[in-house]
Amino acid sequence: MNTLGPPDPAVGRSGESPRGSEGSAGSEDEAAGPSVLTLTLNPTVDLAWEVERLTAVGKSRARVRSVAAGGGGINVARGVVRLRGRATAVHTAGGEAGLRLNRLLNAEGIDHVAVDIEDETREALVLFETERRHSYHIVPPGPRVNAHEGMRCLDVLERAAGDHPYVVASGSLPHGLSPDFYALAARRIRKAGSRLILDTSGPALSGALTEGVFLLRCNRTEATSLTGRDIRSLDDARAVNEHLLTTGAAEVAVTTVGALGAVCSTGHGHTELHAPPLPGEPLSDAGAGDGMVAAIAARLTAGDDPVSATTLGVAVAAAAMLTPSTEPFDPEVARSLRPEVRARFHARP
């Protein structure tokens, strides 16, 4: 089903162009209901390698663990599908790496729409050292996306958004786009009658705050950049969320504090969600944030309230800590951890 209006020659869809693609809509036993739409402006081809131990002299022999499409919104779409939801990923794609990105998404069966750009899509390296069980995530800045290419992304997003109650914009802005790009996206998404869930950082985060979004997710580093004070506790996170709600930056604010958990704040109050104890050794936090956002988006789309959705998000983030590098979380582990997430409510002043 084509929900994007008249075709744009720079927008790739399956069966129309080898440069862009829209993957399979999923299996017949997939959960019914609305789909989550995601936006990834700076995607990656994630190369995951494994070495026994890095050596300073000579060669470190590596084994290829996986090659997968990555980037915030793509990872969120993958997480939604793993939680038995439906998702479509809108993303940029350029050069040979962009072609590879499209092929990987097609092979994985993730529904997607690629917007062509001139510069090359980035490749990122995840290196897992088995002896010390430690991950290194090496990420280049990525391509330059010009204003015209950015507007095409917004046009595609707006045309698609009307068929999706929630849109997730996740990840960094590539070079060439203005810091208020996500604010422009929020305006378009609201016009289409959808709600924006935003997960970004740096100038892209501060540039979006004036427009107001439905749900804003920050980790403690991002929250520190907004407030200028270290976020070390759930009390600190609650103060950040109160500021975001009071200033109209978001209707719902979710701030995470590493292994402590997260605070989900709405007009009704602030709910501390304490992370569950892990049933194993933590290996990497690389996919925890995207997994949390995927759970929030999937459950909101299914009709849950924000606190309930974020509760599953905390469990998914914990499950993601148990997988090496950027490997996806185990949904069954996440569901088993959900009852262990402890909640404590604080009324707003």
Side-chain angles (χ1 to χ4, degrees), residues 48-94:
W49 296 354
E50 184 178 88
V51 297
E52 184 175 346
R53 185 179 180 89
L54 285 175
T55 58
V57 179
K59 296 179 180 179
S60 297
R61 299 290 181 180
R63 179 179 72 86
V64 177
R65 288 183 65 98
S66 63
V67 180
I74 287 173
N75 294 336
V76 169
R78 177 181 294 114
V80 169
V81 172
R82 290 184 72 78
L83 292 167
R84 302 175 188 166
R86 299 171 57 235
T88 296
V90 174
H91 61 91
T92 59

Side-chain angles (χ1 to χ4, degrees), residues 4 22 58 74 79 86 96 106 149 175 181 231 235 244 264 279 283 287 306 310 326:
L4 300 181
E22 182 177 10
I74 287 173
R86 299 171 57 235
E96 290 301 316
N106 284 343
E149 292 166 337
H175 294 300
F181 188 88
I231 307 301
D235 286 342
L244 292 171
C264 176
L283 299 178
T310 307
T326 57

Side-chain angles (χ1 to χ4, degrees), residues 97-227:
L99 289 173
R100 191 179 196 186
L101 180 80
N102 289 330
R103 290 195 297 268
L104 289 167
L105 287 167
N106 284 343
E108 195 173 346
I110 294 178
D111 192 44
H112 69 109
V113 179
V115 180
D116 285 350
I117 59 173
E118 289 298 319
D119 275 7
E120 188 91 6
T121 294
R122 62 182 174 168
E123 293 180 313
L125 176 63
V126 180
L127 191 62
F128 184 64
E129 201 174 14
T130 58
E131 187 176 300
R132 293 191 290 188
R133 300 186 70 76
H134 188 79
S135 290
Y136 303 87
H137 201 176
I138 304 164
V139 185
R144 174 171 290 275
V145 175
N146 62 46
H148 178 65
E149 292 166 337
M151 290 304 296
R152 284 210 311 267
C153 290
L154 288 178
D155 290 342
V156 169
L157 193 70
E158 184 177 354
R159 290 200 298 270
D163 291 329
H164 302 79
Y166 290 94
V167 179
V168 177
S170 179
S172 61
L173 285 179
H175 294 300
L177 296 182
S178 63
D180 67 345
F181 188 88
Y182 283 134
L184 300 176
R187 205 170 302 153
R188 296 279 199 107
I189 291 164
R190 187 180 301 111
K191 180 181 175 183
S194 301
R195 290 171 159 179
L196 175 62
I197 299 170
L198 180 63
D199 182 12
T200 189
S201 59
L205 173 58
S206 53
L209 299 184
T210 56
E211 186 62 30
V213 301
F214 174 70
L215 187 147
L216 182 65
R217 182 260 174 187
C218 296
N219 62 31
R220 57 184 169 186
T221 302
E222 294 152 4
T224 296
S225 73
L226 289 178
T227 63

Side-chain angles (χ1 to χ4, degrees), residues 229-278:
R229 64 179 276 192
D230 289 341
I231 307 301
R232 297 174 177 169
S233 67
L234 295 177
D235 286 342
D236 293 336
R238 189 167 71 246
V240 172
N241 287 1
E242 180 62 33
H243 172 73
L244 292 171
L245 296 182
T246 301
T247 58
E251 295 181 42
V252 179
V254 176
T255 297
T256 61
V257 193
L260 295 178
V263 177
C264 176
S265 302
T266 70
H268 299 294
H270 308 280
T271 304
E272 295 178 0
L273 297 167
H274 296 258
L278 295 180

